[in-house]
Structures are given as structure tokens and as C-alpha cells.
């Protein structure tokens, strides 16, 4: 019997443990699996709670179904019948401009429009900004290997499209400054469109993938669970019978040993393992590897992270004058010093609030979150209400609020990110029996975490099969 230890009990770590268990069973590989989680609960940022018949999400509220491993895992776990999509009558969102909620133009795909008429009629841009964007097919194509998202949008579509469409939409995904984000690491599709067609606009109109052009945010692809995103965590834990799941057990250091690896815990205990998967934010993995491989630790620590805050607010329906006829809104950095995004939760997904009620979820991320992170919930709620009230016509205080802080949990895919990941992977090859996984590698979404976890688990299984059997 060989031991595999997974450090980190979030979605990535639990999927890695599940993959180790199921694949080891298929190949008759005798494997004892332990999951170590520093916090008192499993699941990481996937945190669903109920309060007064409201269903609250503290972290991500959905995942995209067009990345197959998310849906496939739901099928494997018999969770497919628990999935729901966004409510069809509210499949649009807004961007704040001059203190008003303006609809995102239908067919606008993150950085550029795929439909002409809605783009020309939007209130978000001046006519000068619209005509600048429509000149894009006439511009020369130069497609550098990597450039920032801001540079690309500015070069192809113009400054107004960057300020009033691309930046706020991207901030809702990465909570990052587009001046620093790598286009190659986040949306390589646009690089390919420019290279293949010489124009993003022409490329988008020629795309055959209907899911790409369905709408700006592809609302029909947003999936969640009837009882919240943490349903995925609960089902994984159910399927991990026989796996030792140890919460409140932080690791301190990782060292190579004759048998494989030693994991020193904060309480002084030492665990022996043949293989180890670090399913953690890269800076936490760096701390564990500092004494073993300083160069690898430095590369891992070089990936920057942002913090975020979510605040759920429960209202009586009559407390808001705005019709809330969409899924929510985002605020451009050009509009506010501390931009806020807000989901109209009870409109976006069914079963989130009792009749006669409204549930909003405000999100503050990136540099803006840093200014609020140390403030208590009462102060944050007062700040958020001050921002939301004129936009949504809030006339009464919420029944209650519920806040979650997520310090240093959102990796930033800055310029050169993919090259850094390749260097990390090459360096890690010198540490046999170790695998790294997480949303800091090749994607920040739930399906990306699943794919990362399974790739790490498969590498450890291959190593175990060749060395210990």
C-alpha cells in the first residue's frame, strides 16, 4: 500500500483525490489517499449557505458548460439532474455609464462585437467610438506573440471599447487590470482571429460555433446547481469514502525523503508519502517548497494574486424601484474609483429567494477590494448600499447582509504567464513524485480547476505505477 497526500481541500484538491481513488481502483493500484486542508471546512471558495429561505453563494455562483470537464464530472457524480441554467427571461446584463444601467449590446463577445446593429445602437459608446471600432478590419494585422488585453483592444477596437465594454466585462472574470493581463494566457482566440482573418470583427462573423455568437456573455452556458455550487463539494466528499479527509490540518514544509516525501505539519507532526499533490494557490505552494527548491518557490511566488469581497443583500421586493430586468451589472473603472459588480441573484437563477423578496450579490475585486478588506461588514455594507442605491432605486435598508472575504485567491495572468508556467513545470520535473495543480495554471474557472486536478493526479498515478508496482 502506497500513500498519496493531497495538500488543499478545495475543488482542485478534492477532484485530484477523487481521480486518484477511481483510477487506482481501475488499475488495481494499492493506494492510501490523504487530503490535508488547513481551514475548518472543505470546498475552498465554493461556499453555499441558506438563510431565511435564501440561497447564498459566497464564492463562484456558476460555471461554463462549454468547457467539457465540468459537465462530464457532473455526469460521473450523478449530479447532472441537479444542474440548472440562467432564467431565459433575464439573459442580459448591464454596464454603468453616467450613473445609468445600459444593456450590454447583444452579440458583444468580451472584447469585440459580433453583431452590427446592437453595437451601433448602444448608449455605452459615442458615435466616434463606434466608428473607430468599425474601422478595425482596415487596420494592419501584426499579432505579437503576447500583449496585454488593454493593448490589444486599444489597438484593434479603440479606447472607448476598452473603457466602457472590455474592461468592465473582463474585471468580472479576472478582477484584474487589463493593462497587465496577458491576452495569450486569457483569450488566445482573439490572437488566432487576427492571424487567420486579419481582423477580429471579420473573424467573429465567420465563426461557425454558434455558442460563441449566441450573446455577449453566452448566458445559456452558465450552469449551477439547484442547491448551490457547494453541491459539487458535498458529492465529491460522499464519493471519497475510504479517503482520509483532514480539516484544520495546515502543512508547513515539504521535503524529499528516501521513501518519497515528508510533509511537516504546523503542529510538528510529520507525514510520510510516496507522492504529493499540491492543490493550493501558487504562493502557498511556494511556502511549502521554500526549503526544498528555492528556485521553484520563487517562480510560484512570482504569480500575483488579487483579493475579493462578496456581499449578499436580502430585500423585500418593494424596496427596489429598478425593474432588475437582467442578470446584473458591472461598473467600469472609468465610472467609479471603486467599481462594484452586482448580480440580481433571484433573477439570474431560480430558487434563490422566497416570493416577494429580492437577493443582490455585490462583488468588489482587485485593488478596490484591498481598501475594503480590513473593514467590518457593517462598513462594507454601508459603502455598497451607497453605491447601489442611486443605480437601483433602493428605498429601504436590506433585511440583512452576509459578507465573505477572499484574500489573495484570484491569480492574475500577467504578461509572460504561460512562459512562467512552462518554467515552473520544467523545474518541477526535478522533483519526482510531486504534482502541482490549481487555478493559477491554465484557467481560473471550475472546469479549469477540474482539468488541472486530473492532470496532476494522472501524473502521480503514472509515476506510482512505474516506480512502486
Amino acid at each position: 500500500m502506497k500513500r498519496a497526500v493531497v495538500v488543499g481541500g478545495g475543488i482542485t484538491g478534492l477532484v485530484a483525490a477523487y481521480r486518484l481513488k477511481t483510477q487506482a481502483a481501475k488499475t488495481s493500484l494499492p493506494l492510501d489517499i490523504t487530503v490535508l486542508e488547513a481551514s475548518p471546512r472543505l470546498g475552498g471558495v465554493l461556499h453555499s449557505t441558506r438563510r431565511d429561505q435564501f440561497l447564498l453563494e459566497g464564492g463562484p455562483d456558476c460555471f461554463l458548460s462549454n468547457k467539457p470537464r465540468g459537465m462530464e464530472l457532473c455526469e460521473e457524480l450523478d449530479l447532472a439532474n441537479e444542474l440548472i441554467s440562467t432564467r431565459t427571461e433575464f439573459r442580459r446584463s448591464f454596464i454603468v455609464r453616467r450613473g445609468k444601467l445600459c444593456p450590454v449590446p447583444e452579440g458583444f463577445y468580451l472584447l469585440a462585437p459580433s453583431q452590427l446593429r446592437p453595437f451601433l445602437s448602444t448608449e455605452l459608446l459615442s458615435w466616434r467610438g463606434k466608428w473607430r471600432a468599425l474601422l478595425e478590419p482596415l487596420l494592419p494585422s501584426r499579432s505579437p506573440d503576447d500583449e496585454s488585453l488593454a493593448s490589444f483592444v486599444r489597438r484593434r477596437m479603440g479606447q472607448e471599447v476598452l473603457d466602457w465594454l472590455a474592461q468592465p466585462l473582463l474585471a468580472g472574470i479576472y478582477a484584474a487590470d487589463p493593462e497587465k493581463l496577458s491576452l495569450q494566457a486569457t483569450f488566445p482566440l482573439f490572437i488566432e482571429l487576427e492571424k487567420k482573418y486579419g481582423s477580429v470583427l471579420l473573424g467573429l462573423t465567420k465563426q461557425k460555433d454558434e455558442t460563441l455568437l449566441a450573446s455577449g456573455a453566452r448566458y445559456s452556458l452558465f450552469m449551477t446547481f439547484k442547491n448551490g455550487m457547494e453541491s459539487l463539494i458535498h458529492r465529491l466528499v460522499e464519493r471519497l469514502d475510504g479517503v482520509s479527509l483532514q480539516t484544520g490540518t495546515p502543512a508547513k514544509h515539504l521535503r524529499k525523503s528516501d521513501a518519497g516525501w515528508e510533509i511537516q505539519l504546523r503542529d510538528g507532526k510529520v507525514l510520510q508519502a510516496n507522492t504529493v499533490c499540491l492543490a493550493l494557490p501558487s504562493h502557498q505552494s511556494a511556502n511549502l517548497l521554500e526549503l526544498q527548491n528555492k528556485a521553484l518557490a520563487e517562480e510560484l511566488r512570482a504569480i500575483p494574486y488579487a483579493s475579493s469581497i462578496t456581499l449578499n443583500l436580502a430585500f423585500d421586493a418593494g424596496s427596489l424601484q429598478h425593474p432588475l430586468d437582467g442578470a446584473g451589472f458591472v461598473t467600469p473603472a472609468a465610472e467609479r474609483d471603486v467599481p462594484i459588480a452586482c448580480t440580481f441573484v433571484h433573477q439570474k437563477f431560480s430558487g434563490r429567494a422566497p416570493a416577494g423578496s429580492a437577493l443582490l450579490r455585490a462583488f468588489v475585486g482587485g485593488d478596490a477590494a484591498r481598501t475594503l478588506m480590513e473593514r467590518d461588514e457593517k462598513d462594507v455594507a454601508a459603502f455598497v448600499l451607497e453605491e447601489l442605491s442611486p443605480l437601483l432605486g433602493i428605498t429601504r435598508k436590506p433585511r440583512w447582509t452576509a459578507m465573505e472575504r477572499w484574500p489573495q485567491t484570484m491569480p492574475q495572468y500577467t504578461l509572460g504567464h504561460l512562459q512562467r508556467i512552462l518554467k515552473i513545470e520544467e523545474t518541477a520535473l526535478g522533483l519526482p513524485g510531486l504534482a502541482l495543480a490549481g487555478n493559477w495554471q491554465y484557467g481560473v474557472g471550475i472546469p479549469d480547476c477540474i482539468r488541472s486536478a486530473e492532470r496532476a493526479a494522472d501524473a502521480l498515478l503514472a509515476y506510482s505505477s512505474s516506480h512502486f508496482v
Side-chain angles (χ1 to χ4, degrees), residues 215-269:
S215 66
R218 301 173 294 168
Y219 301 101
S220 63
L221 304 181
F222 291 172
M223 305 298 293
T224 191
F225 299 94
K226 294 177 184 177
N227 293 307
M229 287 297 294
E230 203 169 344
S231 298
L232 180 55
I233 301 301
H234 296 322
R235 184 57 55 88
L236 282 167
V237 171
E238 288 175 10
R239 297 296 176 89
L240 288 173
D241 57 297
V243 173
S244 176
L245 302 174
Q246 301 182 23
T247 57
T249 311
K252 185 177 181 181
H253 294 301
L254 199 61
R255 293 179 185 272
K256 202 79 179 71
S257 67
D258 292 339
W261 291 91
E262 289 182 351
I263 303 103
Q264 183 180 344
L265 306 181
R266 290 255 182 94
D267 62 8
K269 295 179 182 177

Side-chain angles (χ1 to χ4, degrees), residues 109-112 132 136 139-159 161-162 166 170 178-179 181-184 186-195 198-201 204 415:
Y109 181 63
L110 295 170
L111 308 182
R132 166 61 183 86
E136 190 267 347
L139 300 177
S141 171
R142 55 186 179 89
S143 296
D145 289 337
D146 197 11
E147 66 179 314
S148 72
L149 277 163
S151 171
F152 179 84
V153 177
R154 190 183 292 115
R155 178 168 62 82
R156 300 304 310 179
M157 307 301 300
Q159 187 69 39
V161 170
L162 172 63
L170 294 168
E179 300 286 355
L181 278 180
S182 161
L183 180 67
Q184 183 184 54
T186 52
F187 297 106
L189 167 67
F190 291 96
I191 298 175
E192 296 305 313
L193 291 177
E194 186 180 15
K195 286 181 177 178
S199 162
V200 175
L201 294 184
L204 284 175
L415 286 167

Side-chain angles (χ1 to χ4, degrees), residues 288-316:
L288 294 182
L289 291 167
E290 184 71 41
L291 300 180
Q292 178 64 44
N293 191 311
K294 190 171 183 180
L296 178 58
E298 288 177 354
E299 287 294 333
L300 288 165
R301 199 172 283 119
I303 298 172
Y305 275 73
S307 302
S308 63
I309 293 173
T310 60
L311 182 76
N312 282 279
L313 306 98
F315 290 92
D316 296 321

Side-chain angles (χ1 to χ4, degrees), residues 345-359:
V345 180
H346 61 295
Q347 307 287 57
K348 186 176 181 180
F349 295 114
S350 60
R352 266 43 189 174
S357 302
L359 180 61

